[in-house]
Amino acid sequence: NAGVTQTPKFRILKIGQSMTLQCTQDMNHNYMYWYRQDPGMGLKLIYYSVGAGITDKGEVPNGYNVSRSTTEDFPLRLELAAPSQTSVYFCASSPRILRGNQPQHFGDGTRLSIL
Amino acid sequence: GNSVTQMEGPVTLSEEAFLTINCTYTATGYPSLFWYVQYPGEGLQLLLKATKADDKGSNKGFEATYRKETTSFHLEKGSVQVSDSAVYFCALDSGGGADGLTFGKGTHLIIQP
């Protein structure tokens, strides 16, 4: 039972480089989310998707892009990495939600450092 | 907007001590409330939840009661173990569903043998 799988687990980037954080889920969930977690802070929503082909901005979308071509996959793209994007990134998914009654399932995270 | 406030950590307790981690929230409407736990190097796992006022969520000896009158959802456990050492996050879902959870900053709990 894989759940939500994120790759890579760790990555170091140089300023200005680009990369894609991968996220896939095998629970056939419609909703998927990307969060970032900074030290001593809670998680902040970057982008979310309510289904294939549909994405929307969260609280902190600047510097990121997403796509959702399939139900299973929700990659997060950093085009020009900046030190402020050093963080731990979590992908999550949940079923179609009725009044928020369904909890989100989280991946193990990607620890990203921009130097 | 929505917000969640948790007590600052780290919280250090001895094994078998009583635990309370305070959580209060601000939200429009009638949110669902959650406690998530994060063990070192892992993602967040749902610990318990409550979806309406006066509901009590419970799991693994942890409990939290949804108090609408005090806008609180405090986490409690009667006797903690070393294995409970982790970071605990209080979160809410405002009910719209699509725009994700609002998290508190997390409380680092350290249990000493």
Side-chain angles (χ1 to χ4, degrees):
Chain A
N1 187 8
V4 179
T5 302
Q6 292 183 237
T7 57
K9 293 190 182 302
F10 305 95
R11 184 74 184 268
I12 298 174
L13 285 181
K14 294 182 179 179
I15 295 171
Q17 287 186 319
S18 62
M19 79 163 292
T20 299
L21 282 66
Q22 301 292 344
C23 175
T24 187
Q25 52 93 9
D26 61 359
M27 297 172 283
N28 201 33
H29 286 170
N30 286 303
Y31 290 69
M32 295 188 75
Y33 310 80
W34 274 106
Y35 294 90
R36 59 178 287 172
Q37 182 184 28
D38 298 319
M41 303 294 289
L43 280 69
K44 292 192 181 296
L45 185 66
I46 305 171
Y47 270 95
Y48 65 95
S49 168
V50 302
I54 307 170
T55 63
D56 208 344
K57 296 178 180 179
E59 184 181 355
V60 289
N62 291 343
Y64 307 95
N65 280 300
V66 293
S67 59
R68 185 93 181 271
S69 57
T70 66
T71 299
E72 295 78 19
D73 300 308
F74 190 41
L76 177 72
R77 177 100 179 142
L78 284 71
E79 291 293 350
L80 289 171
S84 62
Q85 294 177 304
T86 294
S87 190
V88 181
Y89 291 84
F90 288 99
C91 180
S93 72
S94 61
R96 186 178 299 276
I97 291 177
L98 180 65
R99 276 210 72 247
N101 199 28
Q102 298 290 337
Q104 294 183 6
H105 299 258
F106 285 81
D108 286 343
T110 295
R111 187 175 297 275
L112 181 63
S113 295
I114 314 296
L115 304 176
Chain B
N2 298 333
S3 67
V4 175
T5 302
Q6 291 180 236
M7 60 189 296
E8 297 283 332
V11 173
T12 303
L13 296 173
S14 297
E15 207 167 18
E16 299 184 0
F18 183 87
L19 168 71
T20 300
I21 300 178
N22 290 337
C23 171
T24 57
Y25 68 89
T26 302
T28 56
Y30 302 94
S32 295
L33 301 174
F34 305 87
W35 277 101
Y36 280 84
V37 58
Q38 183 180 31
Y39 298 103
E42 298 184 8
L44 278 71
Q45 302 173 27
L46 179 67
L47 181 60
L48 53 84
K49 67 175 183 177
T51 58
K52 62 183 186 297
D54 299 324
D55 267 3
K56 177 185 283 189
S58 61
N59 186 27
K60 300 180 181 180
F62 291 90
E63 293 183 338
T65 301
Y66 188 146
R67 302 287 189 197
K68 192 172 187 298
E69 64 277 13
T70 55
T71 61
S72 65
F73 193 54
H74 304 322
L75 182 68
E76 296 182 336
K77 186 174 184 181
S79 176
V80 292
Q81 306 300 314
V82 172
S83 58
D84 293 327
S85 299
V87 181
Y88 292 81
F89 291 92
C90 185
L92 70 83
D93 182 333
S94 62
D99 55 355
L101 296 170
T102 300
F103 285 88
K105 293 183 178 181
T107 302
H108 187 192
L109 176 64
I110 301 169
I111 307 301
Q112 297 177 333

